Amino acid sequence: MSGWDEGAVFYSDQAQFPRGGGDPDHGSLTRHAALRKFKEFIRGFSGEKGEFLYRESLVHNPDHLTIAMEDMNSFDADLADKIRKLPADYLPLLESAAAEVLASLRSKIASETGEMEEPVTGDVQIFLSSKENPVSMRSIGAEYMSKLVKIAGITIAASRVKAKATYVTLLCKNCKNIKTVACRPGLGGAIVPRSCDHVPQPGEEPCPLDPWIVAPDKSKYVDLQTLKLQENPEDVPTGELPRNVLLSVDRHLVQSVVPGTRLTVIGIFSVFQASATQKGAVGVKQPYIRVVGMEQTREMNTNGPSTFTLDEELEFKEFAQRPDAYAKLCSMIGPSIYGHPDVKKAIACLLFGGSKKRLPDGVRLRGDTHVLLLGDPSTAKSQFLKFVEKTAPIAVYTSGKGSSAAGLTASVIRESSSREFYLEGGAMVLADGGVVCIDEFDKMRPEDRVAIHEAMEQQTISIAKAGITTVLNSRTSVLAAANPPSGRYDDLKTAQDNIDLQTTILSRFDLIFIVKDVRSYDQDKLIAGHIIKVHASGAAAAKKDDSIEGENWLKRYIEYCRGSCQPRLSEKAAEMLQNKYVEIRQRMRQQAHETGRSSAVPITVRQLEAIIRLSEALAKMRLTSVATQEHVEEAFRLFNVSTMDAARSGINEHLNLTPEIANEIKQAETQIKRRMGIGSHISERRLIDDLTRMGMNESIIRRALLIMHQRDEVEYKRERHIIVRKA
């Protein structure tokens, strides 16, 4: 007989909760009892240390309160169950309970007349939080309708803030009668009655049907914003398009997220009528989630270090102490790829990343490493990219021809229903805190390649389009693969001709590897043996789970290291780095002086920062907080075999030429001058074809063009496709 002495009038709440109707199992918990229990919970719930969590929180933040579902469960499981199953009915009760508790906590204040009166308290917005696992966006169906759901994803679009009426004031055209109608929360509207309830006096004209007009200035409003949440890239099944769901946020949650943020949201799965145009389909509604709790997942790792068990942490720390930890990690990278030990070490550094730094004046220094693989076809470049896509905690894979500037950075899209613009983040924004793999980097259009300059160095993407001016974060590492312009790496050409990318983009890559397909009998035999073994044992390897386990283990280890370790350089290592960098610059200056031209790959301060990042990444692999001299030495070794090797590669034009070749080059120069008048221009391909028809060697013609270019007799235009003869 619980609740018989409440003094409740037993017909008052039948409209709100019809008995046996909306909630068949709601038992004896009436609206009044629920309100009283909610007040009891907010006022009396004490944490582990005996402090009153929610009471304290309300006093400090009178306009909103975050309630953990676990606390509600331990206080009264029945009440928590009601909120899960009928959130739309019980959440307003919880909000009014919080407002009443807040009013009772406030002390009375003196009014203008000197009398003591109750302080005015506004509405309190309730946020819910829960530690349960989020459900997949694909599994949300009709059975979740009007219940609480928790989903995780990445925001790809945010609309402008709109004003949503909570109470609409209606005015009768005929008798000036005023009526207030409550609006449904979320994206629902108000139900306006058809007729006026004014009783006409004798001789008075009765009110017609639909007499109401809305008085906007007398209505009450709250802020409302719609977001688009897309599945996390790592949760999308292979070959499927990522799903997205509409979210509506109101009051204090408005403008708290930008596109590209990873979110976990708790909300009420609801529906709204999409548009008035679909007249036939009355029963078909558009689903959306009305958010009642939202948390941003941490910057670097998707789940935060707290998700690692103690056993895992011990295992990771034990592994990091092993003397062969570095070698073992490198052997786990691309285990099916033969050779390329230095590329594997560089990719290990890219996956672990250096340390982010925030300077006192607000400047951010990036900790992410960028690597470029340049070279012959069939040297496993794309395989490395695919491996990184699978192994990195967050990764996006794109191809050069298939990606535009807007697709990589961010695009502005006009919404069809409201005709307003909103932002959608591209690949660099979606991979925030992870890796972007770009294949066929050289096939990208130059204007698209320029778009990622800012993302690679400043780690932000600035947008100023269609009235939207904003800055999005893209703290990503870039792993790019490219072929030389002629398809294969040509040793007869200079480094500039082989690496046909602009200096501006090359200097942003920390390591540039030139991967050559070296033809040697022993090497070919080993590679062929390895590939045949992989193909033969492929079926057997698929049955074993150790490779998949190893991949998962590596992913977890990378996540753990990135989240829990931020190494810094030791003093000795810093001093050694300084001396070595000055020495390299000296060497490059000398080389430029001797050859009379600068190197294809610039050595700038960015490269010094690159070596610092590599040293930190090497220290991070061993979970040490200080990068020592041996880490710096290994970083220099990697830098030498990659970027420095690329800078020195190709032929040196000032080799001692034999008299015959020198004579042939002279003849080629004469023919080129005959073929091209001063000021005329021709495509390089056509010129070479014409001269080869005359019986000349192509490499001789190219060398002659190089020498003429050095003497400033010809110049290249349109990315070296067109040659212009100068005076």
Side-chain angles (χ1 to χ4, degrees):
M1 279 297 287
S2 70
W4 67 275
D5 56 344
E6 286 176 352
V9 178
F10 273 97
Y11 57 77
S12 65
D13 62 346
Q14 284 167 355
Q16 182 72 25
F17 300 117
R19 295 198 183 281
D23 182 13
D25 60 347
H26 96 300
S28 60
L29 188 69
T30 61
R31 190 189 176 99
H32 185 83
L35 188 69
R36 203 185 63 221
K37 278 189 174 174
F38 281 142
K39 277 159 67 173
E40 221 172 278
F41 167 71
I42 294 169
R43 199 182 277 121
F45 183 81
S46 58
E48 291 171 5
K49 297 174 187 164
E51 77 281 24
F52 293 113
L53 286 173
Y54 299 117
R55 209 161 77 187
E56 297 284 319
S57 174
L58 256 184
V59 173
H60 295 307
N61 294 322
D63 50 4
H64 60 89
L65 176 67
T66 305
I67 289 180
M69 289 301 287
E70 288 76 24
D71 293 348
M72 181 80 80
N73 238 341
S74 61
F75 178 78
D76 186 336
D78 194 23
L79 213 55
D81 193 47
K82 287 280 172 288
I83 284 191
R84 281 205 177 89
K85 286 189 178 152
L86 292 167
D89 296 336
Y90 281 93
L91 272 173
L93 282 182
L94 187 49
E95 294 199 348
S96 51
E100 283 179 35
V101 170
L102 178 62
S104 67
L105 289 175
R106 291 271 177 92
S107 54
K108 292 190 174 184
I109 49 171
S111 66
E112 291 169 1
T113 55
E115 291 177 12
M116 299 303 278
E117 59 176 34
E118 293 285 335
V120 181
T121 56
D123 293 339
V124 179
Q125 185 175 6
I126 297 284
F127 301 146
L128 298 180
S129 72
S130 154
K131 290 200 175 81
E132 63 197 56
N133 288 333
V135 292
S136 155
M137 231 176 254
R138 290 166 188 268
S139 64
I140 296 179
E143 70 272 14
Y144 284 99
M145 189 53 65
S146 302
K147 294 190 172 70
L148 269 190
V149 289
K150 179 176 181 183
I151 56 167
I154 185 164
T155 44
I156 55 167
S159 74
R160 293 189 185 163
V161 180
K162 308 180 184 101
K164 160 96 169 84
T166 49
Y167 287 99
V168 177
T169 305
L170 304 171
L171 183 72
C172 177
K173 286 186 284 197
N174 190 38
C175 61
K176 303 292 180 274
N177 190 7
I178 286 178
K179 186 182 182 76
T180 307
V181 181
C183 274
R184 287 168 295 179
L187 299 178
I191 297 169
V192 178
R194 295 290 309 267
S195 57
C196 176
D197 47 9
H198 170 69
V199 181
Q201 300 299 317
E204 195 180 359
E205 192 185 318
C207 299
L209 266 185
D210 297 327
W212 303 109
I213 50 173
V214 178
D217 49 341
K218 292 191 176 69
S219 306
K220 274 190 172 176
Y221 297 95
V222 289
D223 289 335
L224 180 100
Q225 186 183 21
T226 52
L227 307 171
K228 224 189 216 175
L229 193 76
Q230 185 177 298
E231 282 178 292
N232 283 324
E234 57 269 21
D235 300 339
V236 182
T238 315
E240 295 268 341
L241 280 174
R243 299 267 170 94
N244 52 21
V245 66
L246 200 66
L247 306 180
S248 98
V249 293
D250 58 354
R251 292 177 284 179
H252 296 286
L253 289 174
V254 162
Q255 287 192 319
S256 55
V257 288
V258 292
T261 318
R262 285 175 177 255
L263 292 180
T264 308
V265 296
I266 296 178
I268 306 166
F269 190 55
S270 327
V271 287
F272 71 99
Q273 187 67 44
S275 64
T277 50
Q278 304 170 327
K279 289 251 166 43
V282 177
V284 179
K285 308 265 184 179
Q286 193 80 23
Y288 74 99
I289 289 177
R290 200 176 108 218
V291 178
V292 292
M294 180 160 73
E295 58 189 63
Q296 299 188 19
T297 30
R298 289 272 59 84
E299 216 175 76
M300 278 314 297
N301 32 7
T302 41
N303 303 6
S306 55
T307 55
F308 296 100
T309 59
L310 280 170
D311 297 346
E312 268 187 312
E313 289 194 21
L314 281 170
E315 186 195 341
F316 290 155
K317 283 173 183 164
E318 215 170 276
F319 174 81
Q321 299 306 318
R322 285 168 52 171
D324 63 338
Y326 176 48
K328 186 97 179 76
L329 278 173
C330 296
S331 69
M332 281 183 186
I333 286 177
S336 62
I337 300 169
Y338 178 83
H340 301 306
D342 290 326
V343 178
K344 289 183 179 181
K345 285 172 182 171
I347 286 174
C349 290
L350 173 122
L351 285 169
F352 284 90
S355 307
K356 276 200 189 69
K357 294 161 196 85
R358 190 97 192 233
L359 303 186
D361 59 353
V363 174
R364 293 218 307 247
L365 297 179
R366 70 178 163 106
D368 301 303
T369 322
H370 304 315
V371 177
L372 172 68
L373 306 177
L374 182 98
D376 297 341
S378 84
T379 46
K381 297 191 297 294
S382 299
Q383 285 295 325
F384 276 123
L385 266 67
K386 281 287 179 199
F387 174 81
V388 169
E389 186 204 9
K390 285 206 302 282
T391 314
I394 301 169
V396 173
Y397 182 93
T398 69
S399 177
K401 258 294 181 240
S403 39
S404 64
L408 281 170
T409 54
S411 51
V412 175
I413 290 173
R414 176 176 257 172
E415 204 177 343
S416 55
S417 56
S418 65
R419 311 287 294 150
E420 69 171 39
F421 293 103
Y422 65 87
L423 264 188
E424 273 201 8
M428 302 287 281
V429 179
L430 295 183
D432 187 19
V435 185
V436 176
C437 303
I438 306 176
D439 209 349
E440 309 289 353
F441 193 61
D442 54 312
K443 317 283 189 306
M444 279 172 79
R445 289 192 296 275
E447 56 268 29
D448 295 341
R449 210 181 294 138
V450 169
I452 63 173
H453 279 199
E454 183 195 359
M456 284 176 76
E457 193 56 48
Q458 275 71 41
Q459 305 234 295
T460 56
I461 285 168
S462 312
I463 292 286
K465 297 176 184 171
I468 297 175
T469 310
T470 183
V471 175
L472 305 173
N473 284 327
S474 68
R475 294 156 295 206
T476 60
S477 303
V478 174
L479 174 62
N483 296 109
S486 55
R488 296 189 71 85
Y489 196 87
D490 190 350
D491 285 319
L492 285 174
K493 291 184 185 171
T494 57
Q496 260 104 334
D497 292 344
N498 276 317
I499 307 171
D500 192 24
L501 294 171
Q502 290 174 329
T503 315
T504 44
I505 196 108
L506 285 179
S507 74
R508 283 171 163 81
F509 282 106
D510 300 350
L511 294 175
I512 299 168
F513 280 94
I514 288 179
V515 192
K516 291 183 195 167
D517 185 6
V518 182
R519 298 177 182 83
S520 77
Y521 177 77
D522 299 341
Q523 181 85 345
D524 291 351
K525 200 160 182 178
L526 285 168
I527 290 176
H530 176 77
I531 287 171
I532 289 164
K533 198 159 70 182
V534 166
H535 278 268
S537 65
K543 288 172 192 164
K544 291 181 191 169
D545 289 340
D546 56 345
S547 61
I548 295 174
E549 212 170 84
E551 230 169 69
N552 283 344
W553 184 89
L554 184 62
K555 200 171 191 171
R556 298 284 285 169
Y557 185 64
I558 290 168
E559 220 169 311
Y560 178 72
C561 291
R562 289 186 80 142
S564 59
C565 183
Q566 298 292 329
R568 291 283 184 270
L569 280 177
S570 67
E571 281 183 23
K572 279 187 177 173
E575 195 178 315
M576 172 183 169
L577 225 166
Q578 189 180 351
N579 298 337
K580 284 216 169 189
Y581 171 70
V582 173
E583 195 182 306
I584 284 185
R585 287 277 288 190
Q586 192 69 36
R587 268 214 311 273
M588 294 311 285
R589 200 178 301 126
Q590 209 169 335
Q591 185 184 324
H593 188 69
E594 283 170 11
T595 59
R597 62 192 301 179
S598 59
S599 75
V601 181
I603 306 297
T604 61
V605 184
R606 277 190 184 143
Q607 274 60 41
L608 174 64
E609 287 184 342
I611 297 166
I612 296 171
R613 279 192 287 274
L614 289 173
S615 314
E616 288 168 351
L618 291 165
K620 203 182 271 191
M621 286 181 212
R622 310 295 296 267
L623 284 175
T624 55
S625 56
V626 175
T628 57
Q629 281 170 295
E630 62 185 75
H631 294 139
V632 172
E633 270 174 12
E634 172 62 17
F636 258 105
R637 191 193 68 74
L638 274 177
F639 186 73
N640 261 324
V641 296
S642 58
T643 311
M644 291 300 291
D645 188 44
R648 288 191 295 261
S649 68
I651 59 159
N652 187 350
E653 303 82 61
H654 293 266
L655 292 170
N656 296 327
L657 301 172
T658 59
E660 291 86 24
I661 291 180
N663 194 22
E664 278 183 40
I665 288 175
K666 229 179 195 133
Q667 282 176 357
E669 276 184 45
T670 318
Q671 290 298 339
I672 290 169
K673 283 177 183 168
R674 269 195 197 162
R675 183 77 182 72
M676 293 175 71
I678 288 174
S680 66
H681 53 79
I682 187 172
S683 85
E684 185 187 41
R685 187 70 260 160
R686 191 170 155 203
L687 178 70
I688 290 171
D689 286 349
D690 287 356
L691 293 181
T692 43
R693 277 197 215 105
M694 292 166 68
M696 287 190 177
N697 188 340
E698 187 176 332
S699 66
I700 296 284
I701 301 167
R702 284 187 184 278
R703 227 182 254 196
L705 279 171
L706 270 174
I707 291 168
M708 288 174 79
H709 180 54
Q710 273 177 325
R711 291 203 298 253
D712 216 15
E713 289 176 2
V714 295
E715 73 169 326
Y716 287 104
K717 284 197 171 165
R718 290 206 208 150
E719 298 227 321
R720 306 181 73 87
H721 291 317
I722 302 282
I723 302 171
V724 179
R725 168 104 190 266
K726 294 167 87 176

